[in-house]
Amino acid sequence: MTRWLKILLPLLVILLAVGVRAVDPVALQELRFKVFDAYQRFSPRPYPDTPVVVIDIDNPSLDRQGQWPWPRTLLGELTGKLQQAGAAAIAFDIIFAEPDRTSPDQVMESWPQTSRTAALRRLASEDGLPNHDRIFADSLAAGRTVTGFALDNGATNSAPPVKAGFAASGPDPKRFVPRFDGAVSNIAVLSKAASGNGSLNVIPESDGVVRRIPLFVTDGESLYPSLAAEALRVAQGASTYLVKSAGAGGAASLGSESGITAVKIGRAVLPTDPSGRIWLYDSGHRPERTISAWKVLSGEADPARLRGAIAIVGSSAAGLKDQHATPLSPGIAGVTLHAQMLEQVLTGSFLGRPDWANGAETLAVLLIGLLVFAPFLLPRLPMLWSAGFGAIVVAGVVVVSWQAFAIWQWLFDPMYPAMTGVAVYVAASLPRYLEVEGEKRRIRAAFAQYMAPSLVEQLAGNPKRLRLGGETRDLTLLFCDIRGFTSLAEKMDADEVTRLLNRFLTPMSDAIMETGGTIDKYMGDAIMAFWNAPLDDPDHAAHACRAAQEMRRRLVDLNAGIARDSAADGKEPVEIRIGIGLNSGPCSVGNMGSNRRFDYSALGDNVNLASRLEGQCKTYGVEVVISETTCAGAEDVTAVELDLIRVKGRRDPVRIYTVLAAPDVPEDLTAKHAEMLAAYRAQDWDRAEALIAECRTLMPDGELSGVYDLYTARVAELRADPPGDDWDGVFEATTK
């Protein structure tokens, strides 16, 4: 049940996370939006010098020209000034839903019905007093202008006129864009006079922040462009919008609801989300994009700034502006949003979520959850490694998302996939953590009595690699002994012997444990160790040989240190010489002993053989003797054959080798050495002696001098007393 729970619980979390992402609740959307806002705060859109300018009816303009609403004649004058300056298009972020009350005809409507006022009305009619709305309409008609309206779910005065044509590539775009039931429009004379008519609708997200601005809205009957879209169309002299939807012309729709993917306005192509909205790539408030309306009216505005520009007339005055929160500002005038949209179009600075983004993020949630869970399916992988791998996966999601934003301005959510990864890790690690901690406590209690602390921690870190009790394993065993230790000890007192032993055993033990060996026991000046238990070590023979070589190197340093200390104390230096025996083969390993005292140890014939081989080091005058099985398992070790011997207590002969300390051994030496052994076993004594002489000349540092001295003596003895035709060349070892 526990095993299945460790699998099912993370999988349940993954499936739940995928399901939540597929549903995409509002809370998840808001979390995603917060990440996108943070990206924009880290790297806002640079403000470019583009031909887009806001004509701001700000407080200084109201101070100079009077309170709002201004007479339409003044707005006509403002329009004329902008046209004279060469503006490419003029758009009004203002709705003129009622006639100008300052117009004479409107003023007369408010007069009481008397004989005097009747006479004035007749006089006004005969003299043709001006109509402010008509004057303003004439100024609108004289150039490229765009009026604004707003769709609303409420009362309506009239349906806004549509000034442009639409061509759809794919499904009807009205299915996807924001829909409203009513509208607040301009009076007919103004709407008719303008070259374009655009929606002022800015729709915030559920948290009240404007992040996407619709290019189109609908009342169910007609499709209406936004003010910025109309301004762009009119400025280019275009007549038609081309709306491209998913599934048309190669537009992909991986895992996403079908919708609009792009809109072509004149020469400009605008990528959109499925609802036909453009992501706001916020630059924040920039004074450079704004010119006060009074400066235009007074002629103080820079003509170069207006020439060829799209001018959007709006207000930032307190009490007049429609204020909106954006990723970079808690409150900014709505006219600025239309200007920023046009800046993005003219500079090609678009944020985007490809129409396959939702599907890709859902797939990312699944894949990241599985990737984080995957290491937990490997029973031998430490939890720390699983945590590290999970952290890399989670960090990778964040890095990829940020790079997508920084390089391509793509918006991909890293937060929810990362949260899923964390949740999966917690769900997968909690049962395992509780189980592993229990196993660690049991292992520490069982092994702390007789194993090195570092090895105990390795076992505690991966308890499943340990089998308690006895078992048969293929081990490599090492025995190390100090040569002539009894003679050395006779020259020292007990404290000096103890210090010398500790000084010797410490570096030797370190060399063993650093290569993954287990110290079985210390026997006076001797060490017994083995590899491949209790932890698996496929290269145990090579590691044991490497430990033997390291022990020899550290012995050189140890003897040098002893010599220095002895010279400083005025004593005769002591030189330690060792013998090391290595053998590989099956052994019984596990808890050995009684209920009161036990050790984790190895037993068997191969253990005894390793001990016997250590004893043969003094016979052959070498520091290391290894068996044929150990030599076969350590391919990278430079070894030469010593002999074929029958050790005491063992019937079958064993082929033994020594590991050379020299890093580079001449190939001629190994070849001549092998020929020498072959001549010796063939009882060709003359050739054997000649080859021994050749080997001595090729031998590096005299390392095999003892071996060749031994064979020289043997050849002399055997020449004097031939062994007979049935001799197999096996040497009978009479000592341990």
Side-chain angles (χ1 to χ4, degrees), residues 97-385:
E98 298 176 347
D100 185 358
R101 293 183 181 182
T102 65
S103 184
D105 58 332
Q106 294 297 317
V107 172
M108 288 188 296
E109 289 295 328
S110 63
W111 291 351
Q113 295 292 335
T114 66
S115 59
R116 291 184 178 183
T117 58
L120 289 174
R121 287 190 181 93
R122 286 194 302 272
L123 180 62
S125 176
E126 292 172 359
D127 291 345
L129 293 179
N131 179 278
H132 291 183
D133 290 316
R134 173 53 60 187
I135 293 173
F136 184 29
D138 291 342
S139 65
L140 292 176
R144 294 178 174 179
T145 56
V146 179
T147 52
F149 63 90
L151 294 190
D152 191 12
N153 289 320
T156 180
N157 50 7
S158 63
V162 179
K163 298 281 186 172
F166 292 88
S169 175
D172 185 355
K174 291 196 295 293
R175 293 171 44 194
F176 311 115
V177 303
R179 177 171 178 168
F180 300 88
D181 295 333
V184 178
S185 305
N186 296 287
I187 59 177
V189 65
L190 299 180
S191 297
K192 183 178 180 180
S195 306
N197 196 31
S199 163
L200 306 182
N201 290 86
V202 175
I203 306 171
E205 307 293 347
S206 57
D207 58 357
V209 178
V210 175
R211 299 184 181 90
R212 293 175 287 184
I213 301 175
L215 279 181
F216 303 104
V217 292
T218 184
D219 58 4
E221 297 294 331
S222 300
L223 192 65
Y224 299 102
S226 69
L227 183 73
E230 276 288 81
L232 182 63
R233 179 188 67 82
V234 170
Q236 296 182 90
S239 61
T240 304
Y241 294 95
L242 176 60
V243 184
K244 187 176 183 179
S245 300
S253 182
L254 176 61
S256 175
E257 180 185 1
S258 296
I260 299 171
T261 59
V263 175
K264 190 172 187 297
I265 306 175
R267 296 180 300 276
V269 177
L270 288 64
T272 72
D273 73 355
S275 298
R277 295 173 292 183
I278 288 183
W279 285 88
L280 174 64
Y281 196 176
D282 202 355
S283 67
H285 173 67
R286 303 292 300 201
E288 306 95 304
R289 70 162 57 97
T290 302
I291 298 176
S292 292
W294 72 266
K295 290 185 177 181
V296 177
L297 290 168
S298 65
E300 296 182 35
D302 181 8
R305 185 72 179 90
L306 295 171
R307 189 176 304 112
I310 299 176
I312 306 177
V313 181
S315 177
S316 67
L320 294 183
K321 67 177 179 181
D322 53 333
Q323 185 168 292
H324 300 283
T326 67
L328 298 187
S329 176
I332 196 169
V335 65
T336 304
L337 299 178
H338 302 300
Q340 290 206 61
M341 277 189 62
L342 289 169
E343 290 169 359
Q344 290 181 225
V345 173
L346 296 178
T347 59
S349 301
F350 294 106
L351 295 181
R353 274 178 62 80
D355 54 357
W356 44 266
N358 284 330
E361 288 173 357
T362 303
L363 183 61
V365 169
L366 176 63
L367 292 178
I368 290 168
L370 293 175
L371 281 174
V372 173
F373 176 50
F376 290 92
L377 298 177
L378 305 174
R380 298 189 178 186
L381 192 67
M383 288 184 63
L384 186 60
W385 288 24

Side-chain angles (χ1 to χ4, degrees), residues 663-726:
D664 298 318
V665 179
E667 294 183 3
D668 290 348
L669 172 62
T670 56
K672 294 295 184 182
H673 184 88
E675 290 180 27
M676 182 274 292
L677 289 178
Y680 166 77
R681 290 165 184 161
Q683 303 184 43
D684 187 349
W685 313 124
D686 292 337
R687 180 162 175 73
E689 286 181 333
L691 289 169
I692 289 173
E694 288 188 49
C695 288
R696 287 183 187 276
T697 63
L698 298 171
M699 178 179 52
D701 301 327
E703 190 174 348
L704 297 176
S705 295
V707 177
Y708 297 134
D709 290 344
L710 174 66
Y711 274 98
T712 299
R714 283 188 187 178
V715 169
E717 292 176 3
L718 293 171
R719 189 195 294 274
D721 185 13
D725 295 338
D726 59 347

Side-chain angles (χ1 to χ4, degrees), residues 484-545:
F485 181 72
T486 302
S487 300
L488 291 176
E490 289 175 351
K491 302 175 184 179
M492 296 179 285
D493 59 30
D495 289 341
E496 290 176 328
V497 171
T498 301
R499 286 195 297 271
L500 181 64
L501 275 178
N502 291 338
R503 194 169 181 179
F504 167 75
L505 293 174
T506 298
M508 301 300 106
S509 300
D510 290 344
I512 291 170
M513 298 185 68
E514 287 170 7
T515 55
T518 301
I519 304 294
D520 187 302
K521 59 178 67 70
Y522 300 108
M523 301 162 287
D525 62 314
I527 306 173
M528 174 184 171
F530 51 79
W531 281 258
N532 201 35
L535 301 177
D536 293 332
D537 184 359
D539 299 321
H540 52 89
H543 290 159
C545 291

